[in-house]
Amino acid sequence: MGGMNQTDMPPVLVTGATGRVGRVVIDELLDAGLPVRALTRRAEAAATLPAKVEVFIGDLTAPESLDPALSGAGAVFLVWTAPPRTAAAVVERLAAHVRRIVFLSSPYRTPHPFFQQPNPMAVLHAGLERLIAATGLESTIIRPGMFASNSLAWWAPAIRAGEVVRWPYGAAESAPVDDRDIAAVAARTLRQDGHVGGDYVLTGPESLTQAEQVDVIGGALGRRIAFEEMTPDEFRRLWEGTVPSSAVDMLLAAWSAAVGQPAYITTAVADILGRAPRTFRQWADDHASAFTEGS
């Protein structure tokens, strides 16, 4: 056809726009010169987004609220953050407006014990994937394994306080993937042809035990961080009332199954981006300030 430059492209709608991945997907798409729309539930979230982004207020639990954001859009990055009740109605609306969808799922089909534990999230993801497949839309599924940024929620409070990191299954291995690499893959599959029907499990480049991951963070901070094993029951008590018990049970089962098993590692990030995925050390170096005093 020729003559198609990026500004002629219909906008990409990013859901979960202020989340760990969505927020970086927005930057990646803007850097590539694409028009970007962001869906957010709260108007005040708009203040945290780049000025070039067109912000729409809408909610996955109210499918009709998505219509203004979808009208004229070409592709959608879907992050499902709601109960499953409205999934069919939302996917139906996406199918009526856009031609491409990239869905942030999880590696529940991966043949590795870490990902084979009963998981309520997997049931939700599988249902959404079936709905998406039935639309006949151009679709790509991305399945990040363990997010590197989980370590902020898990270990930063103790590290900031200069305390011992106490955690269960220190010997459990995973291959943390940098959130920025997940976002870069999502942006690439949203804006480039050639990924239709793609189903990508995204991991970091190396298998590290949880205790080794804490050591790596210590290396980035230039100090040794003590690690102490905690029992699963202590862990359950620690998170009681803050995290659903089903999520806690799932994590404990996954870590237990991952002890003595090298993590599942794919080349998908490198294959799609044409560069090596970031190591956990690179992630830790770039986020060192989040682990130091007063963050």
Side-chain angles (χ1 to χ4, degrees):
M1 246 178 83
M4 273 293 276
N5 64 36
Q6 307 249 283
T7 49
D8 297 330
M9 289 189 65
V12 177
L13 175 64
V14 177
T15 70
T18 58
R20 288 192 279 188
V21 178
R23 181 63 191 80
V24 190
V25 169
I26 287 173
D27 291 339
E28 291 272 347
L29 292 169
L30 290 174
D31 287 348
L34 269 72
V36 179
R37 293 176 177 181
L39 184 76
T40 177
R41 290 197 304 259
R42 299 183 325 280
E44 56 270 26
T48 70
L49 297 169
K52 281 165 89 173
V53 174
E54 200 182 351
V55 179
F56 289 83
I57 311 303
D59 197 318
L60 295 171
T61 61
E64 66 286 353
S65 73
L66 308 183
D67 287 351
L70 286 167
S71 182
V76 172
F77 180 55
L78 180 62
V79 181
W80 194 268
T81 51
R85 194 173 41 80
T86 53
V90 167
V91 171
E92 197 179 308
R93 279 189 140 73
L94 300 183
H97 289 283
V98 304
R99 66 183 185 90
R100 178 174 298 178
I101 180 166
V102 175
F103 176 50
L104 184 69
S105 188
S106 54
Y108 60 86
R109 293 205 293 237
T110 300
H112 186 283
F114 186 82
F115 297 115
Q116 287 304 313
Q117 307 314 307
N119 179 348
M121 208 57 197
V123 177
L124 172 69
H125 285 155
L128 276 153
E129 286 167 35
R130 279 194 299 274
L131 290 167
I132 291 165
T135 65
L137 284 170
E138 295 179 3
S139 66
T140 307
I141 310 294
I142 58 175
R143 307 179 185 277
M146 187 60 80
F147 285 65
S149 60
N150 284 348
S151 57
L152 287 170
W154 293 346
W155 305 322
I159 293 170
R160 280 200 287 262
E163 292 165 5
V164 172
V165 171
R166 302 190 69 246
W167 205 248
Y169 298 110
E173 299 191 35
S174 58
V177 57
D178 194 305
D179 306 41
R180 295 168 296 183
D181 288 343
I182 302 169
V185 167
R188 190 70 62 100
T189 58
L190 282 160
R191 66 186 180 84
Q192 276 186 347
D193 295 333
H195 298 288
V196 176
D199 188 313
Y200 304 120
V201 175
L202 309 181
T203 72
E206 61 200 328
S207 181
L208 295 165
T209 68
Q210 300 200 89
E212 285 168 343
Q213 290 169 38
V214 171
D215 275 346
V216 168
I217 294 166
L221 299 180
R223 62 186 171 89
R224 198 181 165 279
I225 300 166
F227 184 95
E228 223 171 76
E229 191 72 23
M230 172 193 273
T231 69
D233 283 340
E234 283 179 285
F235 186 77
R236 282 195 182 89
R237 283 198 296 276
L238 179 71
W239 292 97
E240 210 170 1
T242 55
V243 177
S245 60
S246 63
V248 171
D249 289 341
M250 178 198 79
L251 274 174
L252 288 168
W255 287 326
S256 170
V259 172
Q261 283 264 359
Y264 185 82
I265 293 176
T266 72
T267 60
V269 171
D271 296 343
I272 294 164
L273 301 181
R275 61 158 176 83
R278 292 175 173 94
T279 63
F280 190 64
R281 178 59 193 255
Q282 283 173 293
W283 180 88
D285 282 340
D286 291 343
H287 295 82
S289 62
F291 290 96
T292 53
E293 296 313 311
S295 304

